[in-house]
């Protein structure tokens, strides 16, 4: 019996099948109920008791080997290995898409890098805020329209929790915790209850900058603004400041840059004025400093805030704000070279 098993083992080792029928014939020959291995199993009854152990083990081994061999042949038939000579294993691999940075992240990083070169460090604050940090500490009058339900998302009726409407709230938090000199830049997401359209969204992104120290003046602010505009939009960029109003700065201004599309000559993009608005700024109102525990008789400072979407639109002429949050890869892939 041992001889027979040995013969079958070496026979099975050599079998091959070129198609499914051949394989099935082999399976029936060895593994079916009437196959050779079953026949041996039947004869096992006749084996002398002292040989049962050895022969039993061998029989089991034979069965496993046969099953594995049939399975291997089946896999080989199902998935034939290619022997195609035209396969060029030295060819460069297909490009692997690792993804791209989001355009808003690219521009946010650029803004932060410019301010980092001026010594500003990044500060962050919560998106869920309270009235004090977003409005009251920043000198918003009780009846200021920005607090209106129309604008602000309140989280629950009667509870003092809301989604921040601007990143100026981070100013409040940093000033409460730190004494000057303070030189921070605060990027982040903000929320406003706006109807969504190509030019407005219920959430967008801002970067805020704040500098507080002794003897900080409007001239310092202007210098930083000019440096920022040139770094961001090119050496030939000009800036102009228009008087404006924000509750937390006095005096306040809005900054325009010379239109980076037409170079200031006038085009549809700048509505033929040659200028486009990019940010709000001003000297921090002494009330705000005092509200946050900084002595306004000793310290002064400037603040500025801008929308990242706005700057991105200017750099890349994105005409519809909704593209930024729709995750359409056809849009996002266009920023491959920039990221
Ligand atoms: N927080 C203002 C807004 O959301 C932007 C702003 C204007 C920020 C003037 C400032 C500033 O720091 O000085 O519209």
């Amino acid at each position: 019996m041992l001889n027979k098993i040995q013969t079958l083992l070496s026979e099975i080792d050599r079998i091959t099948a070129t198609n499914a029928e051949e394989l099935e014939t082999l399976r029936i020959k060895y593994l079916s109920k009437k196959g050779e291995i079953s026949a041996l199993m039947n004869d096992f009854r006749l084996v002398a008791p002292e040989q049962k152990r050895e022969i039993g083990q061998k029989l089991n081994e034979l069965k496993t080997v046969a099953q594995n061999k049939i399975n291997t042949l089946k896999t080989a038939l199902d998935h034939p290995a290619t022997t195609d000579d035209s396969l060029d294993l030295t060819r460069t691999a297909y490009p692997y898409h690792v993804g791209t940075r989001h355009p808003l992240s690219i521009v946010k990083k650029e803004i932060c890098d410019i301010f980092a070169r001026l010594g500003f460090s990044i500060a962050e604050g919560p998106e869920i805020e309270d009235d004090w940090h977003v409005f009251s500490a920043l000198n918003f009058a009780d009846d200021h329209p920005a607090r209106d339900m129309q604008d602000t998302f309140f989280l629950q009726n009667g509870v003092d929790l809301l989604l921040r409407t601007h990143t100026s709230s981070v100013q409040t938090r940093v000033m409460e915790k730190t004494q000057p000199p303070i030189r921070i830049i605060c990027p982040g997401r903000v929320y406003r209850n706006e109807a969504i359209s190509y030019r407005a969204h219920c959430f967008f992104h801002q970067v805020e900058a704040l500098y507080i120290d002794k003897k900080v003046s409007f001239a310092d602010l202007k210098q930083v603004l000019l440096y920022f505009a040139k770094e961001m939009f090119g050496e030939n960029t000009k800036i102009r400041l228009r008087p404006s109003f924000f509750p937390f700065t006095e005096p306040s201004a809005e900054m325009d840059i010379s239109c980076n599309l037409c170079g200031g000559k006038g085009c549809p993009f700048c509505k033929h004025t040659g200028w486009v608005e990019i940010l709000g700024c001003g000297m921090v109102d002494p009330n705000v400093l005092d509200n946050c525990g900084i002595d306004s008789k000793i310290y002064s400072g400037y603040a500025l805030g801008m929308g990242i979407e706005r700057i991105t639109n200017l750099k890349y002429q994105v005409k519809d704000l909704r593209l930024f949050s729709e995750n359409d890869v056809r849009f996002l892939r266009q920023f491959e070279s920039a990221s």
Side-chain angles (χ1 to χ4, degrees), residues 17-121:
T18 51
N19 57 44
E21 288 91 68
E22 275 182 35
L23 182 64
E24 182 59 8
T25 315
L26 287 169
R27 191 191 65 78
I28 292 169
K29 178 165 188 254
Y30 295 109
L31 288 171
S32 70
K33 276 202 184 113
K34 291 188 182 141
E36 304 209 20
I37 296 178
S38 293
L40 282 179
M41 295 275 189
N42 283 335
D43 292 347
F44 185 63
R45 294 178 282 123
L46 311 173
V47 171
E50 66 277 11
Q51 279 194 304
K52 272 211 156 63
R53 194 179 144 83
E54 188 192 356
I55 294 193
Q57 272 174 0
K58 276 278 169 203
L59 262 180
N60 281 336
E61 183 193 326
L62 173 65
K63 193 166 177 193
T64 320
V65 167
Q67 245 153 13
N68 287 347
K69 181 70 191 245
I70 297 286
N71 287 346
T72 314
L73 290 177
K74 181 165 165 34
T75 318
L77 282 178
D78 290 348
H79 309 282
T82 172
T83 52
D84 186 353
D85 286 344
S86 65
L87 188 68
D88 178 4
L89 296 175
T90 63
R91 198 183 65 78
T92 329
Y94 286 110
Y96 183 68
H97 266 288
V98 287
T100 58
R101 256 184 230 272
H102 193 280
L104 293 178
S105 302
I106 296 171
V107 172
K108 177 179 83 177
K109 182 171 182 303
E110 220 175 318
I111 299 172
C112 290
D113 286 351
I114 294 172
F115 279 92
R117 293 202 281 280
L118 294 169
F120 286 74
S121 50

Side-chain angles (χ1 to χ4, degrees), residues 165-166 168 171 192 206 208-209 246 248-249 280-282 303-305:
T165 56
H166 56 180
S168 308
Q171 286 188 26
R192 287 185 201 175
Q206 290 187 332
E208 183 90 7
F246 300 102
F248 37 92
T249 44
C281 58
L304 59 102

Side-chain angles (χ1 to χ4, degrees), residues 20 106 144-145 194 210 333 335:
I106 296 171
H144 194 282
E194 304 251 11
L210 175 73
R333 277 212 180 125
F335 297 90

Side-chain angles (χ1 to χ4, degrees), residues 138 140 165-169 171 190 192 204 206-210 245-246 248-249 252-254 279-284 302-307:
L138 291 169
F140 279 77
T165 56
H166 56 180
T167 43
S168 308
S169 56
Q171 286 188 26
V190 300
R192 287 185 201 175
F204 52 99
Q206 290 187 332
V207 173
E208 183 90 7
L210 175 73
F245 173 80
F246 300 102
F248 37 92
T249 44
S252 305
E254 266 162 321
L279 56 78
C281 58
M283 300 306 291
V284 180
Y302 62 73
L304 59 102
M306 68 190 101

